């Protein structure tokens, strides 16, 4: 959670190399799902991202990578790079959903250089960050 005098917001902080990061503000439920994936926690019933991963795996669909490919007017855009046999598909997705799915697949998360250039923030310039579980 990104915490400031203005309030708190669920935030995914991606390493952009060196002392740079890319903060992506996400919804609370997506943050919980991402946190579950990072900690290898499974709920008693599958949530949406678990269901998508199970569906892909049952149909032999491989997630090759998540590609965060653009930033327009403060909104990040991403694509899932999928493969089934010799067939490949690129699916548009919200970065928060893509991150939650990619973490479950242990798939790489790639960020377009132009996005890194325009969105990178020095680690020291981030607002105060609080672990999601501690915050909740």
């Amino acid at each position: 959670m990104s915490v400031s005098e203005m309030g708190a917001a669920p935030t995914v902080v991606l390493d952009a190399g060196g002392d740079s990061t890319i903060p992506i503000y996400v919804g609370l439920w997506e943050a919980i799902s991402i946190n579950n994936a990072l900690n290898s926690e499974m709920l008693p019933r599958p949530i949406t991202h678990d269901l998508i991963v199970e569906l892909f795996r049952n149909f032999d669909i491989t997630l090759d990578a998540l590609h965060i490919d653009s930033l327009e007017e403060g909104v990040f855009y991403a694509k899932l790079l999928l493969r089934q046999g010799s067939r490949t598909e690129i699916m548009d997705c919200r970065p928060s959903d893509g991150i939650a799915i990619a973490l479950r697949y242990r798939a790489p998360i790639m960020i377009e250089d132009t996005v890194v250039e325009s969105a990178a923030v020095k680690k020291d310039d981030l607002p105060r960050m609080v672990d999601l579980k501690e915050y909740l």
Side-chain angles (χ1 to χ4, degrees):
M1 294 293 288
S2 170
V3 181
S4 71
E5 60 278 350
M6 305 224 2
T11 309
V12 173
V13 181
L14 300 175
D15 185 353
D19 66 342
S20 293
T21 62
I22 298 176
I24 300 177
Y25 299 97
V26 301
L28 180 59
W29 294 111
E30 291 80 5
I32 291 169
S33 178
I34 290 166
N35 190 63
N36 287 349
L38 284 170
N39 294 305
S40 300
E41 295 175 0
M42 292 294 294
L43 298 174
R45 302 282 300 146
I47 60 174
T48 304
H49 300 118
D50 297 321
L51 183 63
I52 290 169
V53 168
E54 187 173 341
L55 178 74
F56 285 176
R57 287 186 173 148
N58 286 345
F59 286 92
D60 294 321
I61 298 170
T62 301
L63 174 60
D64 288 332
L66 170 69
H67 185 206
I68 300 173
D69 60 349
S70 67
L71 173 62
E72 299 173 23
E73 298 179 19
V75 177
F76 289 90
Y77 292 84
K79 294 187 175 52
L80 295 172
L81 308 178
L82 302 165
R83 180 175 34 85
Q84 183 185 42
S86 61
R87 177 181 174 189
T88 59
E89 289 290 330
I90 298 173
M91 291 182 61
D92 184 38
C93 70
R94 297 182 309 172
S96 57
D97 292 323
I99 291 167
I101 295 166
L103 288 171
R104 284 166 169 77
Y105 253 97
R106 300 198 188 319
I109 298 172
M110 305 180 307
I111 308 168
E112 192 68 35
D113 289 341
T114 55
V115 174
V116 173
E117 291 166 10
S118 61
V121 173
K122 301 277 187 214
K123 290 177 185 173
D124 293 339
D125 294 336
L126 287 171
R128 185 169 68 93
M129 303 303 285
V130 178
D131 183 80
L132 180 65
K133 285 187 178 183
E134 289 176 31
Y135 184 83
L136 295 176

